Amino acid sequence: MVEWIISDGLTPYLDAVSFMEDRAAAIASGTADELIWLVEHPPLYTAGTSAKPADLTDPDRFPVYDSKRGGQYTYHGPGQRVVYVMLNVGKRGHDVRKFVQDLEAWVIATLDRFNVTGEIRCGRVGVWVTRPELPPNPDGTAHEDKIAAIGVRLRKWVSFHGLSINVEPDLGHFTGIVPCGITDYGVTSLVDLGLPVTMADVDVALQTTFSQVFDT
């Protein structure tokens, strides 16, 4: 049984971390159900375990939080759906790589509900979209932007942290970091792609596609 919670308003980041850690421990002990928690945060940057100080280009812009999830620097803020994923990976095969691939597939299936083709790129974490309407890269390849980030942590084979999908955030807020340490590409959102998509629309799509990827 997977519980779903959708929180209104902006959830303070440290409150979210504390809640996730407590819930993950309860799941591991068998005293709580697995949980998908959908939130928005006030503007902030988080530093994953691989974050490089040089990638925080504007350290005074927003609060910066060290995070024990994998990955580098990410931005969270209003208009971005943050999906905290507390699932028992031990009961789902003890395969961390497959679990991350399933998260990627979930994002791609969610984007497909809006006729957006999300893609995975070797060496570049997250989910990407090709932008044929924009000028190509200097090397002649098609322009690509990142639309979703993924970063998880496991404790006793229970996951927490998760993923984020850009619905309608202020894309200028990403300029205070090098997102995920990747310098040659930009970021986009569903609304930036010209789609009149709301947060509620994305929440429905996430719930609809979850069972296509994960055993419930």
Side-chain angles (χ1 to χ4, degrees):
M1 181 70 181
V2 179
E3 182 184 1
W4 286 73
I5 297 175
I6 302 175
S7 292
D8 295 327
L10 302 179
T11 301
Y13 182 73
L14 293 181
D15 290 354
V17 172
S18 178
F19 177 89
M20 283 191 289
E21 290 181 343
D22 289 346
R23 184 61 175 251
I27 293 168
S29 68
T31 59
D33 290 331
E34 296 175 299
L35 174 65
I36 305 297
W37 185 23
L38 309 182
V39 307
E40 287 180 86
H41 288 306
L44 58 92
Y45 299 128
T46 66
T49 55
S50 301
K52 301 175 183 177
D55 288 344
L56 181 61
T57 58
D58 192 354
D60 299 322
R61 189 171 189 180
F62 298 126
V64 181
Y65 298 96
D66 288 329
S67 173
K68 296 179 181 179
R69 59 158 175 80
Q72 303 186 40
Y73 280 105
T74 60
Y75 165 77
H76 293 314
Q80 181 190 68
R81 177 50 86 207
V82 177
V83 185
Y84 287 132
V85 181
M86 286 152 272
L87 296 178
N88 191 327
V89 181
K91 291 183 178 179
R92 296 168 183 270
H94 290 90
D95 189 333
V96 178
R97 175 174 289 186
K98 182 180 184 302
F99 178 66
V100 173
Q101 291 172 341
D102 286 345
L103 292 176
E104 294 170 341
W106 185 25
V107 172
I108 290 170
T110 298
L111 295 175
D112 185 62
R113 303 287 293 188
F114 307 105
N115 295 315
V116 173
T117 302
E119 299 177 296
I120 304 304
R121 292 289 180 263
C122 182
R124 284 192 264 137
V125 295
V127 178
W128 299 78
V129 293
T130 301
R131 308 288 303 274
E133 76 278 12
L134 296 180
N137 297 321
D139 62 1
T141 57
H143 185 100
E144 294 179 340
D145 285 333
K146 188 173 187 176
I147 196 167
I150 294 173
V152 296
R153 186 182 181 198
L154 268 65
R155 182 182 292 163
K156 295 183 178 179
W157 286 102
V158 175
S159 67
F160 53 110
H161 297 283
L163 59 94
S164 60
I165 298 175
N166 297 332
V167 182
E168 193 179 7
D170 184 335
L171 296 179
H173 289 177
F174 286 87
T175 60
I177 58 171
V178 178
C180 299
I182 299 170
T183 58
D184 296 331
Y185 300 87
V187 292
T188 190
S189 69
L190 288 166
V191 171
D192 183 52
L193 293 174
L195 300 170
V197 177
T198 68
M199 195 69 71
D201 294 331
V202 172
D203 293 346
V204 170
L206 284 163
Q207 292 175 290
T208 300
T209 57
F210 180 80
S211 60
Q212 297 175 13
V213 178
F214 295 96
D215 294 331
T216 57

